[in-house]
Amino acid sequence: MPIDLDKALNAPPRTQQLAWTTRDVLLYHLSLGSGSSLRYSYERDLEVLPTFALVAGQGISAGDIPAEGLTLPGVDVDLRRLLHAGQVVTLHRDRLPAAGSAERTTRIAEVQDKGKAAVIVLVHEVADADGPLWTSTMSIWARGEGGFGGDPGTEPGPKKPEGDPTHVLDVATTDDQALLYRLNGDLNPLHADPEFAAAAGFDAPILHGLASYGLVAKAVVDHLLDGRPARLRELGARFAGPVIPGETLRISVWQQENELALRVTCPERDDAAVLTDAWARTTSGGA
Ligand SMILES: CCCCCCC[C@@H](O)CC(=O)SCCNC(=O)CCNC(=O)[C@H](O)C(C)(C)COP(=O)(O)OP(=O)(O)OC[C@H]1O[C@@H](n2cnc3c(N)ncnc32)[C@H](O)[C@@H]1OP(=O)(O)O
């Protein structure tokens, strides 16, 4: 079996040095459609979306691009069988620096048994000389790796929202969204190559989960948080269904002060689920 549970869960944490520049931030924002919005697309008075954390130091020029699949202690799974299944990012500072360097410590926190698949939960803790910067919890769906008699796990979702959403935001994705987003460092051919996508079971290349996630973060900041990225402190979501570049993300929000429950669907496909069990934690306007 390509996943050796004991080895995976007992491996010592791995550390990696990360470094990023303003240029990486500008590219990230442009790949999320920031266009001529100067506070995202120009270096003077640049604001940094907190979800940039998830690509910081992973840039295409960082030379650390996984080609064949996921290879970690006790884990060796082909790229065709992997999907991003969920993501949480928590910021530990008011603002992410637009340029910086940091150390990332990675451990496999859990391997959940979903029967038809295993979900590998990777936790990254990132800190610089001034202390903790952010924590990322990434869930990876490994098709065909379940059924080992393990725990199915629980997910850290919000309480189910009740009643009508307080806000509904539509965000259009573009046909070239994945081709642009991959320049942030995730060159998985699933997002570009029709033959590879077919081998992975899709009719066409699909959008990166983190691209949808970043677009949702930007829409929440722009429409609900006065355009101030520093107010978004945590975002979590399950990736429940794929998005084809060009489709619309319909973001339903249930806002209760600084706690937001979110659900994202695709209106062109009868509101098929895209992001579910999603939430955001924010700071109040004066912070
Ligand atoms: C190399 C470096 C590492 C690679 C990292 C990733 C790199 C990226 O480039 C990859 C990507 O960005 S992929 C794009 C983003 N992700 C997606 O589009 C996936 C969307 N999700 C799906 O298609 C389905 O949910 C799917 C297919 C995930 C599951 O759907 P089904 O097969 O229909 O499963 P279902 O029968 O609904 O559920 C079975 C049990 O699994 C649980 N579950 C379902 N979706 C889950 C998810 N996303 N996360 C966690 N658990 C999930 C269900 O609850 C169910 O469990 P139970 O039986 O206990 O209820």
Side-chain angles (χ1 to χ4, degrees):
M1 181 172 101
I3 298 181
D4 178 334
L5 265 190
D6 275 351
K7 207 169 165 184
L9 296 175
N10 295 314
R14 293 183 318 144
T15 57
Q16 187 191 353
Q17 301 305 315
L18 306 180
W20 63 96
T21 66
T22 303
R23 189 186 151 104
D24 299 318
V25 175
L26 296 174
L27 175 60
Y28 177 71
H29 289 161
L30 286 167
S31 76
L32 296 178
S34 63
S36 58
S37 171
L38 292 189
R39 65 208 169 79
Y40 289 125
S41 306
Y42 184 52
E43 53 276 22
R44 196 178 64 212
D45 300 329
L46 180 65
E47 300 262 9
V48 184
L49 281 172
T51 47
F52 170 75
L54 301 170
V55 302
Q58 315 292 301
I60 209 158
S61 48
D64 183 29
I65 295 152
E68 305 296 333
L70 186 60
T71 310
L72 294 166
V75 176
D76 185 5
V77 184
D78 185 278
L79 201 52
R80 287 166 189 76
R81 296 203 276 138
L82 295 175
L83 290 171
H84 201 159
Q87 181 67 52
V88 184
V89 68
T90 307
L91 275 291
H92 304 305
R93 293 258 174 95
D94 287 347
R95 282 165 203 282
L96 274 187
S101 57
E103 184 172 88
R104 180 171 82 166
T105 306
T106 303
R107 64 190 165 85
I108 300 178
E110 274 180 80
V111 181
Q112 302 169 346
D113 188 349
K114 301 290 184 183
K116 59 174 83 166
V119 172
I120 301 158
V121 182
L122 285 183
V123 176
H124 301 293
E125 305 276 1
V126 178
D128 67 9
D130 295 328
L133 270 167
W134 69 84
T135 302
S136 154
T137 304
M138 179 183 199
S139 301
I140 301 167
W141 182 270
R143 181 163 43 89
E145 299 295 336
F148 52 85
D151 195 320
T154 51
E155 284 155 69
K159 284 194 208 123
K160 294 281 174 238
E162 285 174 15
D164 290 336
T166 50
H167 310 270
V168 178
L169 310 169
D170 275 358
V171 175
T173 68
T174 57
D175 292 344
D176 60 0
Q177 196 95 54
L179 298 176
L180 283 167
Y181 190 84
R182 66 200 298 270
L183 301 181
N184 295 306
D186 180 351
L187 291 181
N188 187 344
L190 177 62
H191 310 299
D193 182 339
E195 281 178 29
F196 186 96
F202 294 96
D203 294 339
I206 63 171
L207 193 57
H208 302 72
L210 288 182
S212 305
Y213 188 86
L215 287 163
V216 169
K218 183 172 178 298
V220 166
V221 167
D222 289 348
H223 296 282
L224 304 178
L225 303 178
D226 315 315
R228 292 166 56 200
R231 288 189 58 199
L232 181 59
R233 302 307 291 264
E234 181 170 272
L235 182 65
R238 174 195 271 216
F239 297 119
V243 177
I244 305 294
E247 291 181 333
T248 304
L249 302 176
R250 176 157 293 164
I251 308 165
S252 300
V253 185
W254 289 258
Q255 186 171 21
Q256 274 201 317
E257 298 183 352
N258 287 325
E259 303 288 333
L260 278 61
L262 304 158
R263 181 176 166 83
V264 181
T265 58
C266 174
E268 291 91 348
R269 281 187 282 112
D270 205 15
D271 274 328
V274 172
L275 263 61
T276 59
D277 305 298
W279 76 94
R281 200 165 50 76
T282 71
T283 61
S284 53

